[in-house]
Amino acid sequence: HLSVSVPRTKWPNPAAVSTTLRFALPRASTVRLTLYDTAGRVVRELVRGSRTAGEHSEEWDLRETSGRRTTAGLYLARLEVDGSVQVRRLVVLR
């Protein structure tokens, strides 16, 4: 299960500054959490490896792997757990 929480800055600038991606594992599993742009390009890999059973969270600072800030737009968070895949949409506001 993957849920997304997007904190925003105060009005009048409703830009997202970061987002926390949360997921729960019923048992210890191999996990990969990757962010993509709408062209299918990997923007950033947040998790790759084994995780214990239970709740997990990863913060994304809205930067690409290179450290460059992402632009406003739609992004996809892809969570792979032991061969199962879930995808969620994320909207970045600037």
Side-chain angles (χ1 to χ4, degrees):
H1 174 265
L2 175 66
S3 64
V4 177
S5 169
V6 183
R8 295 182 181 169
T9 58
K10 293 182 181 181
W11 186 90
N13 183 12
V17 293
S18 69
T19 186
T20 301
L21 295 99
R22 293 180 175 86
F23 58 95
L25 301 173
R27 63 184 176 284
S29 302
T30 300
V31 176
R32 185 174 181 192
L33 178 57
T34 311
L35 299 158
Y36 295 86
D37 62 17
T38 55
R41 184 179 65 93
V42 173
V43 173
R44 182 123 172 232
E45 187 172 68
L46 292 180
V47 177
R48 183 180 196 133
S50 298
R51 294 292 186 267
T52 59
E55 299 284 326
H56 298 272
S57 64
E58 295 293 329
E59 185 168 340
W60 180 35
D61 59 4
L62 306 181
R63 294 187 182 274
E64 297 183 6
T65 302
S66 67
R68 192 176 81 201
R69 291 184 58 86
T70 56
T71 59
L74 181 65
Y75 293 85
L76 302 173
R78 184 175 195 262
L79 178 67
E80 298 174 58
V81 179
D82 293 335
S84 178
V85 176
Q86 290 186 20
V87 178
R88 297 290 186 267
R89 291 178 289 179
L90 301 168
V91 176
V92 172
L93 302 174
R94 296 279 182 212

